[in-house]
Amino acid sequence: MADNARAQRLADLIREVVAEKLHRGIKDPRLGTHVTVTDTRVTGDLREATVFYTVYGDDEDRKAAAAGLESAKGVLRTAVGRAAGIKHTPSLAFVADALPENAKTIDDALARARAADEEVRKASSGASYAGEADPYRKPGESEADGSQDGADGEDESA
């Protein structure tokens, strides 16, 4: 079994080679500049690699890019094998990354929170305090103003 550092180095190399080959080496119009390689993970035995990618566009573009990546899998694996120079070239599996959808969900939640904060800010703009503006006692105030006899816990009848 390979160590994690070697697997990580191989994953980085695969990510770079696949991205470069997609950008410059493959003439498939389904791929082009629409596909971005976001991450690559390699198993501990260096036999399988998972390449995560995103596609700029709608659902049709995503489906076309997935089909294009499947058809170019052999060419990409050959390029990885040449660049890596290892005995066994890992098999490649392409997985669409859910990063853009997660980012959109987070952006929508932040927009709702900003709108709710703005509503609270508008509602509180003309509001006043329920009691006095400064409800705390100041040193030197007389006890008749704010406290009762025996309120400090001492019993005066003893």
Side-chain angles (χ1 to χ4, degrees):
M1 227 196 221
D3 60 323
N4 286 339
R6 184 172 181 201
Q8 185 60 43
R9 283 193 312 267
L10 182 60
D12 292 342
L13 178 71
I14 291 171
R15 185 179 66 241
E16 291 172 12
V17 169
V18 168
E20 183 67 27
K21 194 72 172 170
L22 286 176
H23 185 64
R24 293 207 171 109
I26 296 181
K27 304 295 185 213
D28 193 341
R30 297 176 289 186
L31 301 174
T33 58
H34 299 295
V35 178
T36 302
V37 177
T38 57
D39 192 19
T40 305
R41 296 189 185 139
V42 178
T43 58
D45 61 357
L46 305 180
R47 295 284 181 159
E48 298 174 9
T50 305
V51 179
F52 295 92
Y53 67 94
T54 60
V55 179
Y56 182 73
D58 56 359
D59 286 335
E60 290 179 19
D61 292 334
R62 288 185 190 104
K63 289 178 185 176
L69 287 170
E70 282 299 315
S71 70
K73 189 183 284 189
V75 174
L76 294 171
R77 185 174 180 206
T78 301
V80 167
R82 285 188 186 134
I86 57 177
K87 184 176 182 179
H88 178 78
T89 303
S91 62
L92 301 178
F94 293 97
V95 176
D97 199 354
L99 183 70
E101 290 82 18
N102 292 344
K104 182 168 176 22
T105 303
I106 291 171
D107 284 343
D108 292 344
L110 289 173
R112 286 192 306 271
R114 278 193 285 278
D117 287 348
E118 187 60 34
E119 288 178 22
V120 169
R121 204 173 295 120
K122 285 180 184 177
S124 67
S125 65
S128 62
Y129 293 105
E132 299 175 15
D134 188 11
Y136 301 106
R137 272 192 259 158
K138 308 282 186 286
E141 286 182 352
S142 67
E143 289 192 19
D145 291 343
S147 67
Q148 299 175 353
D149 292 336
D152 58 352
E154 294 179 17
D155 189 12
E156 293 182 13
S157 63

